[in-house]
Amino acid sequence: MTKPSTRISTLGTRLAVPALALGLVLSGCSSSDESADDGAAAALGTTSDINPHPVADLRDGGNLRLALTTLPENWNALHTDATGEVGSIARPMMPRAFKTSASGEFSVNTDYFTDVVLSSTDPQQVTYTINPKAVWSDGSPITWEDIRSQANALSGADKAYLIKLTNGFDRVAKVDRGVDDRQAVITFKQHYADWRGQFSGNAFLYPKSVTESAEAFNKSLLNGITLTAGPFLVQSVDRAQGRVVLGHNPKWWGDKPKLDTLTFSVLASEAIIPALQNNEIDAVGIASIDDMKTARDTAGVVIRRAPGNSWSHLTFNGAPGSILADPALRVALSKAIDRQGIATAVQNGLVAEPKPLNNHVFVEGQVGYRDNSLPFDPAAAAKELDALGWKLNGDVREKDGRKLEIRDIMYNAQSWVQIAQIIQQNLAQVGVKLVIETKPGRGYFSDVIKPGNFDVAQWIWSSDAFPYNGLPQIYAYNPDDLQGNYGRIGSPEINELIERTLLELDPEKAIDLANQVDRKVFEIGFSLPLVQSTGNVAVRANLANYGAPGLASYDYTKIGFLK
């Protein structure tokens, strides 16, 4: 998902997150006039707020305590059932090929690879040279066979693999052994502009034991992760307490981590801020201005800010036979929803100028961001509904004896309900009844969203710094391979535009094509982006090299507490 440039201009692999335990997007309204200061207006891609310190300033040991909404249902982050929280747990444990800086620059992750290079353009070839010290947690070497096996698994050729996305491996012709077992040469049958993102960002490299068969891919990590290759590994999983503890990997060959452990605990959304107050967790995203005030009033806690690359949204279900199958109906509803009103309500006091996110591909502050959205126009929405045959009968429109009543599904958290209530009021003004239904975190995607048990639904898309590979994952439509297109909406035109974007190696042309995709996505009522993450994170003041990273990737060996 990269361009032939060192500057990142868009988002990458999309991971779905139902809630706020990792502190991504949502916030609550408040009459407080306490404003967002200390850098809240900084643009994404220009800043990182992690309290940087050299490791010499850090004490040895310590436990970084973080929150989860639920334990993973599948620890394979490449599997369709894996949520963004799986990635958060796995990042300290799994190989990735590239690191990113706060300014969006790439560098090879030399813990795992001594070099990753575009070695040919006709045909396109990428050569991965593996660090000779790199081993899995059982001591076995990381080899080209791990890369080949994962490329085959994600190719999409075998539909028994329940993959989250192909990540460009559907464009790979073959993976060969290089000069030795520590080198892999990937040859593409079609150009793929985002080759740097294939084993980066949220796309980890797994051992071939996980990817060599569909059975292993789908089921071997259901109850926990086995082989890893990072500075940390799973020390314990307590399902009764809802807790995962990561400890040092004794086979780790890189810099020794300063922390002893990382602990992830499952907490209900309403318990997260009290846990911060009670010194039970060390960092959490801020969910409201009231939470901001509470965090600021908590001894030893500070607010760190760097605008985030995650966002909340409303997805429509356009499956054949659904009440929203007609794209014209979805577009009319889109025009009736006041996204600026939502932004003002949920982010007032948390950012300098609350505004909705107006692009599906780029977030504000990134190169390429354009406002391609449809206008808020309830009068036009009402006229379009009339023209479609949805006529008012009392307070609710009807057509062919069917009421225009739709179910909005969301994770059971007050911030999500608040957004739904605003949408409910907006739609009521044009004769549409919105029914709000909340769901628990466990099974939210596997049991509710993935099967399409919704009319509209809310969740967070959490991305990494690599652009474009989320386009085929979410916005392309293949009824036999939905990937992340949970609303089952698309068009041949959008599919073709996505393909042209992925083939385009010229940065400016790729940006223009991606924005054409975005406009078409708005025009068929695919989904509505709502608000971008504020990036506000409450953190223990003595925690260094952690907080609000922006586009930057963490170095987990350098996170720790000040002496």
Side-chain angles (χ1 to χ4, degrees):
M1 248 174 50
T2 60
K3 308 177 300 294
S5 163
T6 57
R7 177 120 182 128
I8 297 173
S9 67
T10 72
L11 295 177
T13 308
R14 306 291 161 86
L15 292 178
V17 184
L20 5 152
L22 298 182
L24 298 174
V25 173
L26 300 179
S27 9
C29 62
S30 171
S31 60
S32 170
D33 59 4
E34 186 164 7
S35 62
D37 50 18
D38 23 292
L44 181 68
T46 64
T47 187
S48 178
D49 190 1
I50 61 171
N51 189 25
H53 279 270
V55 292
D57 293 350
L58 309 183
R59 62 180 173 87
D60 292 329
N63 176 30
L64 176 58
R65 301 162 299 172
L66 304 171
L68 294 174
T69 60
T70 185
L71 292 180
E73 296 177 46
N74 194 321
W75 292 68
N76 180 357
L78 307 173
H79 191 276
T80 187
D81 287 342
T83 69
E85 292 185 310
V86 176
S88 298
I89 300 173
R91 284 188 193 101
M93 301 190 290
M94 301 304 293
R96 290 183 290 175
F98 285 90
K99 299 182 290 186
T100 55
S101 68
S103 60
E105 295 180 337
F106 299 113
S107 60
V108 174
N109 189 340
T110 54
D111 281 332
Y112 300 105
F113 298 94
T114 58
D115 199 14
V116 181
V117 61
L118 181 65
S119 47
S120 172
T121 57
D122 189 18
Q124 181 178 357
Q125 289 184 322
V126 179
T127 300
Y128 288 80
T129 304
I130 301 166
N131 185 330
K133 298 179 181 179
V135 296
W136 298 108
S137 50
D138 65 354
S140 62
I142 298 174
T143 74
W144 77 280
E145 292 184 351
D146 297 307
I147 291 175
R148 180 181 63 177
S149 181
Q150 186 156 316
N152 291 339
L154 298 185
S155 69
D158 186 346
K159 301 304 181 186
Y161 284 87
L162 302 181
I163 60 174
K164 185 181 294 291
L165 73 166
T166 59
N167 206 25
F169 289 109
D170 55 332
R171 310 169 83 85
V172 168
K174 60 179 180 175
V175 179
D176 293 316
R177 181 179 184 270
V179 296
D180 57 26
D181 285 348
R182 295 288 194 158
Q183 189 175 78
V185 180
I186 298 180
T187 301
F188 292 80
K189 56 189 175 184
Q190 297 169 285
H191 279 182
Y192 185 54
D194 203 27
W195 56 270
R196 290 184 186 88
Q198 290 191 300
F199 297 105
S200 301
N202 293 318
F204 314 113
L205 174 63
Y206 280 84
K208 66 178 181 179
S209 60
V210 172
T211 57
E212 63 187 349
S213 73
E215 178 77 10
F217 186 89
N218 297 334
K219 297 182 179 179
S220 66
L221 302 188
L222 286 177
N223 297 316
I225 198 163
T226 49
L227 294 185
T228 57
F232 292 89
L233 48 63
V234 174
Q235 181 173 297
S236 65
V237 177
D238 186 332
R239 297 190 176 278
Q241 295 295 320
R243 185 171 296 125
V244 177
V245 179
L246 308 186
H248 287 182
N249 175 6
K251 301 292 186 181
W252 174 245
W253 58 94
D255 293 339
K256 182 181 179 181
K258 300 302 289 186
L259 292 169
D260 284 333
T261 52
L262 290 87
T263 298
F264 298 85
S265 299
V266 174
L267 295 173
S269 60
E270 64 272 13
I272 293 176
I273 291 297
L276 182 75
Q277 287 181 287
N278 296 333
N279 197 22
E280 296 168 357
I281 58 175
D282 297 308
V284 64
I286 295 300
S288 71
I289 193 67
D290 295 323
D291 289 350
M292 173 86 79
K293 185 177 186 303
T294 299
R296 282 177 164 163
D297 290 344
T298 300
V301 170
V302 296
I303 306 299
R304 295 178 186 163
R305 290 192 176 96
N309 55 353
S310 303
W311 66 98
S312 61
H313 77 286
L314 185 75
T315 277
F316 296 98
N317 187 346
S322 68
I323 192 169
L324 300 181
D326 183 354
L329 175 56
R330 299 192 300 266
V331 168
L333 298 186
S334 298
K335 292 179 181 178
I337 296 172
D338 184 3
R339 295 183 307 116
Q340 178 59 60
I342 291 171
T344 300
V346 303
Q347 293 192 337
N348 184 41
L350 294 176
V351 296
E353 297 180 13
K355 61 185 69 174
L357 181 66
N358 293 318
N359 197 297
H360 294 84
V361 183
F362 303 85
V363 291
E364 188 166 7
Q366 289 183 295
V367 175
Y369 179 84
R370 299 172 191 166
D371 182 350
N372 298 314
S373 63
L374 302 175
F376 169 56
D377 191 342
K383 289 180 181 179
E384 290 171 19
L385 291 170
D386 284 336
L388 291 170
W390 290 98
K391 302 297 185 180
L392 272 176
N393 185 1
D395 293 331
V396 181
R397 293 176 181 269
E398 291 185 359
K399 181 180 180 180
D400 300 329
R402 187 179 192 182
K403 289 184 177 296
L404 189 47
E405 179 177 313
I406 59 178
R407 298 161 53 241
D408 184 4
I409 306 299
M410 71 216 67
Y411 172 74
N412 187 13
Q414 183 54 42
S415 296
W416 286 118
V417 173
Q418 180 196 1
I419 287 179
Q421 288 171 338
I422 296 171
I423 296 172
Q424 186 180 56
Q425 293 166 8
N426 292 160
L427 294 180
Q429 296 299 310
V430 296
V432 181
K433 182 177 180 180
L434 186 78
V435 178
I436 298 171
E437 291 188 20
T438 61
K439 302 291 183 180
R442 183 166 184 82
Y444 184 77
F445 288 98
S446 59
D447 299 338
V448 180
I449 300 303
K450 184 179 174 183
N453 185 18
F454 62 91
D455 297 321
V456 294
Q458 302 176 53
W459 66 84
I460 289 167
W461 281 123
S462 173
S463 183
D464 56 42
F466 293 88
Y468 306 143
N469 69 16
L471 296 180
Q473 175 198 4
I474 303 172
Y475 304 114
Y477 180 60
N478 178 353
D480 298 322
D481 185 19
L482 292 172
Q483 296 192 45
N485 188 340
Y486 302 122
R488 296 157 171 81
I489 296 170
S491 72
E493 183 181 12
I494 290 174
N495 287 358
E496 191 268 338
L497 275 172
I498 289 172
E499 175 63 17
R500 289 173 59 195
T501 304
L502 296 177
L503 284 170
E504 183 55 66
L505 299 181
D506 180 274
E508 294 304 319
K509 291 180 180 178
I511 285 172
D512 183 63
L513 287 166
N515 274 287
Q516 290 182 48
V517 171
D518 178 53
R519 179 64 186 181
K520 294 297 181 183
V521 166
F522 273 112
E523 288 176 351
I524 64 170
F526 184 99
S527 64
L528 279 181
L530 298 176
V531 292
Q532 182 178 341
S533 168
T534 64
N536 299 326
V537 184
V539 185
R540 298 284 160 205
N542 64 337
L543 180 60
N545 302 320
Y546 191 88
L551 288 177
S553 49
Y554 283 126
D555 184 339
Y556 286 90
T557 68
K558 294 179 172 57
I559 297 171
F561 295 93
L562 296 172
K563 293 178 179 177

